[in-house]
Amino acid sequence: VSDASGCSMIALLHTGAAKFPQNLLPRARQAVCSLLPAGVLKGYGSIVSRKLASHGFGASMAAMSSFPPQRYHYFLVLDFEATCDKPQIHPQEIIEFPILKLNGRTMEIESTFHMYVQPVVHPQLTPFCTELTGIIQGMVDGQPNLQQVLERVDEWMAKEGLLDPSVKSIFVTCGDWDLKVMLPGQCQYLGLPVADYFKQWINLKK
């Protein structure tokens, strides 16, 4: 599972609300720093900059202001956590679905979407999965299934104005696994359609 789920921790730094596990902070730091050389970030607000700096992002942030205006109005930072084991189980199922909406002009975090997902093929998480992701059984038990979560994602996208044809937004991932492999693979297995907005993304590793 790629490290981009740590990006969700940016919301914690901005809002001060403990919505995401503290053990993801190192991955958040890695994810934000990886944004910089990719030219995704342009500027940052004073509040966010102070909070990021206080969490160890430091002088790297000084480079952000030199980036040119972005072509997208919003960057949607996304990372899944999924069922896993050694050896790997099949099919893997998404168990955490986080999205962070980042304004492409101000670099302010405007909104977040976060839901845990109930796996249906392998409903019992393995000890390896819990150790790797930090997600325990109680977090997924009784949660919506993937179809229901995707419906809520679509509702959130509409509420945030992201389905407006005049608004340019794109998902941002750390690797291609999330939107090239995991989501379409599970949707195919379950017979679910994949929304068009999930079919294009920025891979920070490239």
Side-chain angles (χ1 to χ4, degrees), residues 158-172:
K159 179 175 68 74
E160 294 295 324
L162 298 169
L163 301 185
D164 184 334
S166 66
V167 175
K168 295 181 180 180
S169 64
I170 192 165
F171 281 94
V172 178

Side-chain angles (χ1 to χ4, degrees), residues 35-188:
L35 283 166
L36 301 178
V40 174
L41 294 179
K42 176 178 73 70
Y44 51 91
S46 59
I47 295 176
V48 175
S49 66
R50 287 197 301 271
K51 290 186 177 181
L52 289 173
S54 71
H55 284 82
F57 291 90
S60 299
M61 297 175 57
M64 285 196 275
S65 60
S66 64
F67 287 112
Q70 302 299 307
R71 71 178 68 180
Y72 295 101
H73 297 116
Y74 297 101
F75 297 106
L76 306 176
V77 183
L78 173 145
D79 174 75
F80 300 135
E81 298 293 352
T83 53
C84 52
D85 201 2
K86 283 188 175 181
Q88 187 58 272
I89 58 177
H90 297 284
Q92 282 189 278
E93 299 173 84
I94 296 168
I95 55 175
E96 184 179 25
F97 205 124
I99 306 172
L100 183 151
K101 179 188 175 188
L102 192 70
N103 187 301
R105 180 181 61 84
T106 66
M107 290 301 124
E108 295 285 348
I109 293 135
E110 293 191 356
S111 180
T112 60
F113 176 93
H114 182 271
M115 291 191 71
Y116 291 107
V117 189
Q118 170 74 63
V120 295
V121 181
H122 301 287
Q124 192 69 31
L125 302 184
T126 64
F128 175 82
C129 182
T130 293
E131 181 179 0
L132 181 66
T133 67
I135 298 173
I136 63 174
Q137 189 67 41
M139 293 179 177
V140 298
D141 284 344
Q143 297 301 308
N145 60 33
L146 182 62
Q147 180 177 358
Q148 294 168 324
V149 170
L150 289 174
E151 291 170 356
R152 296 188 189 184
V153 169
D154 200 69
E155 292 170 359
W156 177 80
M157 295 278 288
K159 179 175 68 74
E160 294 295 324
L162 298 169
L163 301 185
D164 184 334
S166 66
V167 175
K168 295 181 180 180
S169 64
I170 192 165
F171 281 94
V172 178
T173 62
C174 188
D176 288 329
W177 176 83
D178 302 86
L179 294 178
K180 187 175 183 178
V181 177
M182 187 61 238
L183 182 63
Q186 188 177 358
C187 285
Q188 182 179 24

Side-chain angles (χ1 to χ4, degrees), residues 2-13 20-21 23-32 57 77-81 96 98 100 174:
S2 60
D3 288 337
S5 62
C7 292
S8 301
M9 280 298 296
I10 304 170
L12 173 62
L13 302 179
F20 301 97
N23 62 356
L24 293 182
L25 183 58
R27 287 192 282 175
R29 184 177 297 111
Q30 178 184 7
V32 171
F57 291 90
V77 183
L78 173 145
D79 174 75
F80 300 135
E81 298 293 352
E96 184 179 25
L100 183 151
C174 188

